[in-house]
């Protein structure tokens, strides 16, 4: 039980947090999802996007988003979860994307850290889903890990497509390039880590109207919860760090990031 977020001992310092990347479809939320999600508004969180990574998790994202008016969903094939990717899988994805709760295709992208699927199939799946997003006029949520060069090469063909590079771990230089192409950049609890100098430098480079906040929960819990299962209220720590970097108050930063999210995801 110790990994569970203790809402009773948590004091929200701000309001209006928009968590643009949450995996409440993860089994680590199975035991307390039904009580945690309805409590989010009282914990300073106004909106969250439940993000899928394969067909079952995308279906679950839509189902969970359907339980609360302030929740949305995204569906797609993550580069580590391409088992079902193929013509049949894409047809299933298209069906899921018809749901009213869907605000984006994601998460999609490239991950060369885990070698389960090679670069060729990852790149094909990424491109195909970017094309699908362009066809359906949906924003994209992009995951890129240890694959900066190929990610940039592919995204260069999709300049102007609305989207976010989530859990950004790239350099300030990469942040400058992609925001120049119109993409948004999302930061998680990593921004608050002691060794978070690189994301802080990247954050400084991102125009304030291109910044998004996210948990990537259950992962990436910010300080002082590092190592625990994360959830959306913890974003207040990310907001404080981001605000410090941008020279605004945390509440102003939360409001700006929420406006950015609403503009990108059209909600
Ligand atoms: Ni994620």
């Amino acid at each position: 039980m110790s990994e569970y977020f203790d809402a009773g001992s948590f004091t929200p310092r701000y309001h209006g947090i928009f968590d643009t990347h949450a995996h409440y479809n993860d089994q680590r939320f199975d035991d307390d999802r039904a009580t945690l999600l309805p409590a989010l508004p009282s914990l300073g969180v106004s909106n969250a996007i439940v993000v899928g990574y394969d067909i079952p998790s995308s279906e679950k994202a839509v189902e969970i988003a359907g339980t609360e008016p302030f929740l949305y969903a995204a569906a797609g094939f993550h580069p580590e979860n391409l088992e079902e990717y193929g013509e049949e899988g894409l047809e299933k994805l298209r069906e899921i994307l018809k749901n009213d709760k869907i605000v984006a295709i994601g998460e999609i992208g490239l991950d060369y850290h885990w070698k389960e699927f090679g670069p060729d199939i990852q790149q094909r799946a990424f491109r195909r889903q970017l094309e699908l997003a362009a066809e359906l006029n949906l924003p994209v949520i992009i995951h890129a890990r240890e694959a900066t060069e190929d990610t940039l090469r592919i995204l260069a063909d999709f300049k102007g497509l609305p989207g976010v590079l989530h859990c950004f771990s790239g350099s300030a230089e990469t942040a400058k390039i992609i925001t120049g192409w119109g993409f948004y950049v999302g930061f998680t609890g990593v921004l608050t880590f002691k060794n978070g100098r690189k994301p802080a430098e990247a954050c400084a480079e991102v125009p304030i109207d291109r910044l998004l906040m996210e948990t990537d929960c259950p992962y990436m819990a910010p300080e002082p919860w590092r190592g625990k299962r994360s959830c959306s209220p913890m974003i207040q720590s990310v907001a404080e760090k981001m605000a410090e970097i941008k020279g605004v108050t945390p509440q102003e930063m939360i409001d700006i990031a929420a406006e950015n999210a609403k503009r990108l995801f059209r909600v």
Side-chain angles (χ1 to χ4, degrees), residues 83-129:
E83 294 85 355
E84 266 195 276
Y85 177 77
E87 289 314 311
E88 207 177 310
L90 282 166
E91 273 317 303
K92 285 183 189 165
L93 178 58
R94 277 179 183 274
E95 275 307 305
I96 298 169
L97 292 171
K98 287 177 185 164
N99 192 282
D100 286 348
K101 282 287 183 170
I102 288 286
V103 294
I105 294 186
E107 54 186 296
I108 61 175
L110 301 176
D111 192 321
Y112 296 168
H113 183 77
W114 304 108
K115 307 260 187 269
E116 197 167 343
F117 297 95
D120 285 355
I121 180 169
Q122 286 195 29
Q123 289 176 30
R124 276 202 304 277
F126 186 27
R127 269 191 188 278
R128 187 70 192 274
Q129 292 178 97

Side-chain angles (χ1 to χ4, degrees), residues 21-23 51 53 78 107 143 166-167 214 216-217 219:
H21 197 109
H23 296 293
V51 181
Y53 38 88
H78 185 286
E107 54 186 296
H143 169 103
H166 107 90
C167 193
E214 56 171 280
D216 202 12
C217 66
Y219 314 105

